[in-house]
Amino acid sequence: DSGVTQTPKHLITATGQRVTLRCSPRSGDLSVYWYQQSLDQGLQFLIQYYNGEERAKGNILERFSAQQFPDLHSELNLSSLELGDSALYFCASSARDNTGGSYNSPLHFGNGTRLTVT
Amino acid sequence: GIQVEQSPPDLILQEGANSTLRCNFSDSVNNLQWFHQNPWGQLINLFYIPSGTKQNGRLSATTVATERYSLLYISSSQTTDSGVYFCAPSAGGSYIPTFGRGTSLIVHP
């Protein structure tokens, strides 16, 4: 058990809808990352938050947004869903912000949320 | 961004065999991690190894940053080693791991 909790495990919804994925990082970790895994694109980085602030942005669509709350849990909001958004969405956490300096910390992943858009 | 190539893409072993998985990357790295995704989809961090060699039980990893590659060794493989192994370096001003396409490993009893 990595200590990172993601809910729900599975989500089935229709095109055009909006969903929210939730992530609780490991105890003591301040940084949260979101990744999308699909068969054609592999594991793609979406966005990172550190202690409530956005730190890095990857291949995140404008229809997607995220935030990290004061209790450090994070939510990924996906709107106007399309069939191509069907994927496994992972959250990971790390102790440090990993945006610079001589020390970085490893990432630990949750079990993912499998999103199916029909 | 950094390009990551993993080889071989697929590997089939008999239980007890040894194997070496390779990860080549295009830029100087400040960070490199190896992950195992098991058949249930869980991603498990195996090594955090920007340089040098580390060992954890039957697994070991070596990163030669100057030559832009990393190797993951699996000895005496077991069926529980099956899954996909990902290399995820980060480079330059970004410390965010970029994942390769992985090596899919099947270990037969």
Side-chain angles (χ1 to χ4, degrees), chain B residues 61-94:
Chain B
T62 295
T63 297
V64 184
T66 53
E67 297 187 22
R68 300 185 182 175
Y69 73 89
S70 183
L71 302 174
L72 179 69
Y73 305 94
I74 304 174
S75 64
S76 304
S77 58
Q78 300 177 358
T79 55
T80 52
D81 295 331
S82 296
V84 182
Y85 289 81
F86 291 101
C87 166
S90 57
S94 169

Side-chain angles (χ1 to χ4, degrees), chain B residues 32-50:
Chain B
L32 188 138
Q33 298 175 71
W34 281 96
F35 294 88
H36 174 220
Q37 187 167 33
N38 64 26
W40 295 270
Q42 296 171 318
L43 270 168
I44 299 161
N45 193 310
L46 299 175
F47 292 102
Y48 176 88
I49 184 167

Side-chain angles (χ1 to χ4, degrees), chain A residues 35 37 39-43 45 48 90 98 100 104 106-107 111, chain B residues 30-31 33 35 37 41-43 45 48 86 95-97 99 101:
Chain A
Y35 280 81
Q37 185 177 34
L39 281 175
D40 54 343
Q41 296 292 323
L43 270 157
F45 168 68
Q48 178 208 6
F90 283 105
N98 287 351
N104 297 295
L107 268 63
N111 290 341
Chain B
N30 49 54
N31 191 348
Q33 298 175 71
F35 294 88
Q37 187 167 33
Q42 296 171 318
L43 270 168
N45 193 310
Y48 176 88
F86 291 101
Y95 287 76
I96 303 299
F99 281 76
R101 298 292 287 184

